[in-house]
Amino acid sequence: MSSQKFSTKYIVKVGIFSAIAFIIMFFEFPLPLFPTFLKFDFSDSVALVGGISLGPLAAVLIQLLKNLLHLILRNETGGIGELSNFIVGVALILPVTFALKRKENNKNLLIGLVIGTVSMVVAASLGNYFIFLPAYMPAITAADKIDMIIKMLIPFNLVKAVIEGVIIVIIFNGLKDVLKFIRN
């Protein structure tokens, strides 16, 4: 890793994106047709913009820092919600940032979003089956976990990924000059 990667300018930019993402996490809301405990916020979009501007490592750091801040200042889930948000968010943003690192164009953005959506749904499903649901509901049966994942969590994460994807396509195409400014 080059020393330029962790320059003061880079660290400040990651910190600013992390703070913005953390603040946006407070504006969470349930999506219609889903249980109210499944909340949506736009903080992954901030991490994606940071990742597109600064690279995949920055995207992961932004996700990590926003969730650590949330854990410290507003822990309502014993850390399980933050761990889930981190894992699922990273599963979405890494494919997008790597695809755009290869070549920054709409085709790679869409490829990254499709791979990121699939990755996010798989990570959320496996994470909920093995970690998150057992932590929240220790007595839940395997059949009930599978039922909950198929009927609620997969559709929720698909909708979440599509919303985040639309936002990123709009930002990517509408704010290219801003993204270039952030890089410099």
Side-chain angles (χ1 to χ4, degrees), residues 9-180:
K9 195 175 189 181
Y10 177 86
I11 292 168
V12 168
K13 289 176 183 178
V14 168
I16 290 169
F17 276 111
S18 300
I20 293 168
F22 167 67
I23 291 166
I24 287 176
M25 283 181 83
F26 284 97
F27 299 100
E28 63 185 10
F29 54 91
L31 294 175
L33 306 177
F34 294 102
T36 56
F37 69 86
L38 292 174
K39 302 247 182 0
F40 177 85
D41 67 69
F42 293 100
S43 64
D44 289 340
S45 295
V46 176
L48 269 166
V49 171
I52 291 168
S53 303
L54 304 171
L57 177 61
V60 172
L61 291 172
I62 293 164
Q63 283 286 62
L64 177 65
L65 292 171
K66 77 166 183 165
N67 280 293
L68 285 175
L69 286 169
H70 197 268
L71 175 67
I72 293 166
L73 298 173
R74 191 179 181 195
N75 183 5
E76 298 172 348
T77 63
I80 301 300
E82 290 80 12
L83 179 61
S84 173
N85 187 284
F86 174 74
I87 290 170
V88 171
V90 167
L92 173 65
I93 63 176
L94 276 184
V96 177
T97 56
F98 276 117
L100 289 173
K101 188 174 181 176
R102 196 160 186 242
K103 185 171 184 184
E104 202 167 286
N105 59 30
N106 281 322
K107 178 183 174 187
N108 282 354
L109 175 62
L110 293 176
I111 290 169
L113 286 168
V114 168
I115 294 169
T117 298
V118 171
S119 174
M120 179 180 167
V121 169
V122 169
S125 297
L126 292 173
N128 274 294
Y129 187 84
F130 291 107
I131 302 167
F132 313 128
L133 288 176
Y136 278 123
M137 300 177 263
I140 191 169
T141 66
D144 287 340
K145 285 191 284 188
I146 290 170
D147 189 55
M148 189 176 216
I149 290 167
I150 290 171
K151 290 181 179 173
M152 284 189 290
L153 300 173
I154 289 175
F156 175 80
N157 283 294
L158 285 171
V159 168
K160 180 179 177 179
V162 168
I163 292 169
E164 297 282 4
V166 168
I167 290 167
I168 289 307
V169 167
I170 291 168
I171 290 171
F172 182 77
N173 288 304
L175 300 175
K176 285 187 181 193
D177 290 336
V178 173
L179 294 173
K180 286 178 189 173

